[in-house]
């Protein structure tokens, strides 16, 4: 399968083909994801939770993201790889450009992902203007869960308008794709119809242009915190335990 590009991902949306994305953090999981024919891999800062056992993503660093991106690129060189910009790496436009440039040059991935809506649009624009492809991430943004009141659904009732404004601002800033996390299905469907760029949902219903899941959640490898919306496709954790 040919490696996807920002352009071919947009064409998938236009043709109504669903985009598949999974997280991976190391060589072996990336190899399996590529063999399975996944469209995109996300080196998510969720690694701080599922790999390091932490209760949030906050402590992940740019160096951590680069280290794991190198492993993923070794395992999945023919898959489009997006790496998360971790908490604190986008505190100003210049800091964001510097960190995103390091992630691209040292990690060799294809794009970076930045959490935040209207408030982050100027920073997203600066990174895009520096020549770096950006995926946006709105709705529930795990780096700011303490502000959002925990891992809770966003955009219910009157708050829906705010999420829509975030989506439009992030698209306008130049993001080529937007992750919608934990928003009501009707809202994510509406946003997906309004936007030209593809949307990728997680806990956002079936109306998005694609879906992303955390590798460890999908395979039953991490039971410390499993979001309610997660579909566990295989329970590999107990198999591994039995094997060991
Ligand atoms: O870090 C991550 O795994 C993510 C996904 C939940 C989208 O951002």
């Amino acid at each position: 399968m040919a490696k996807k590009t920002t352009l071919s991902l947009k064409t998938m949306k236009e043709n109504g083909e669903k985009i598949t994305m999974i997280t991976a953090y190391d060589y072996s999981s990336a190899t399996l994801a590529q063999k399975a024919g996944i469209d995109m891999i996300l080196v998510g800062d969720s690694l701080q939770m599922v790999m390091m056992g932490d209760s949030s993503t906050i402590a992940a660093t740019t160096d951590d993201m680069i280290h794991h991106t190198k492993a993923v690129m070794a395992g999945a060189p023919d898959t489009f790889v997006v790496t998360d910009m971790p908490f604190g790496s986008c505190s100003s436009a210049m800091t964001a450009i510097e960190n995103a440039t390091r992630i691209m040059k040292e990690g060799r991935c294809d794009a970076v992902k930045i959490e935040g809506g209207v408030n982050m649009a100027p920073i997203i624009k600066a990174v895009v203007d520096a020549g770096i492809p950006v995926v946006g991430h709105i709705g529930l943004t795990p780096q700011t869960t303490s502000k959002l009141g925990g891992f809770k659904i966003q955009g219910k009732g009157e708050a829906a308008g705010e999420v829509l404004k975030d989506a439009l601002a992030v698209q306008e800033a130049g993001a080529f794709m937007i992750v919608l996390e934990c928003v009501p299905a009707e809202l994510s469907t509406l946003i997906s119809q309004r936007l030209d760029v593809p949307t990728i949902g997680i806990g956002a219903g079936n109306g998005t242009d694609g879906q992303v899941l955390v590798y460890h959640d999908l395979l039953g490898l991490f039971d410390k915190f499993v979001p309610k919306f997660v579909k566990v496709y295989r329970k590999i954790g107990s198999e591994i335990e039995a094997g060991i």
Side-chain angles (χ1 to χ4, degrees), residues 12-203:
M12 285 179 79
K13 174 183 174 106
E14 285 157 8
N15 294 343
E17 285 172 69
K18 293 283 181 184
I19 301 165
T20 55
M21 182 195 256
I22 189 172
T23 68
Y25 317 99
D26 62 19
Y27 171 81
S28 313
S29 55
T31 306
L32 293 172
Q34 178 162 295
K35 275 195 197 161
I38 208 89
D39 294 313
M40 303 175 80
I41 290 177
L42 171 66
V43 185
D45 58 358
S46 51
L47 63 85
Q48 192 63 30
M49 297 173 78
V50 297
M51 302 292 285
M52 301 304 292
D54 216 337
S55 56
S56 84
T57 61
I58 299 295
T61 65
T62 298
D63 284 340
D64 294 336
M65 300 314 299
I66 292 170
H67 179 71
H68 287 272
T69 302
K70 284 180 181 168
V72 167
M73 291 311 294
D78 301 325
T79 305
F80 193 103
V81 174
V82 182
T83 295
D84 258 336
M85 303 234 17
F87 180 73
S89 65
C90 293
S91 49
S92 70
M94 196 40 76
T95 312
I97 292 171
E98 277 166 13
N99 285 318
T101 304
R102 275 197 66 206
I103 290 173
M104 298 290 289
K105 277 177 100 107
E106 298 174 40
R108 304 281 180 92
C109 56
D110 301 289
V112 297
K113 175 162 79 60
I114 297 179
E115 288 187 13
V118 171
N119 60 330
M120 292 302 283
I123 287 183
I124 293 172
K125 182 170 184 322
V127 174
V128 171
D129 287 349
I132 298 170
V134 173
V135 175
H137 182 157
I138 60 170
L140 173 64
T141 43
Q143 289 170 15
T144 43
T145 44
S146 42
K147 194 169 129 201
L148 299 176
F151 286 88
K152 279 191 189 152
I153 189 149
Q154 303 295 312
K156 282 209 280 192
E158 287 183 2
E162 297 304 310
V163 181
L164 177 59
K165 274 190 211 152
D166 284 338
L168 293 169
V170 170
Q171 170 174 270
E172 179 65 27
F176 73 90
M177 171 175 276
I178 302 181
V179 170
L180 301 175
E181 179 163 357
C182 275
V183 298
E186 311 74 57
L187 177 59
S188 63
T189 304
L190 175 105
I191 291 174
S192 305
Q193 287 164 354
R194 285 280 298 272
L195 294 185
D196 296 326
V197 300
T199 58
I200 303 290
I202 174 160

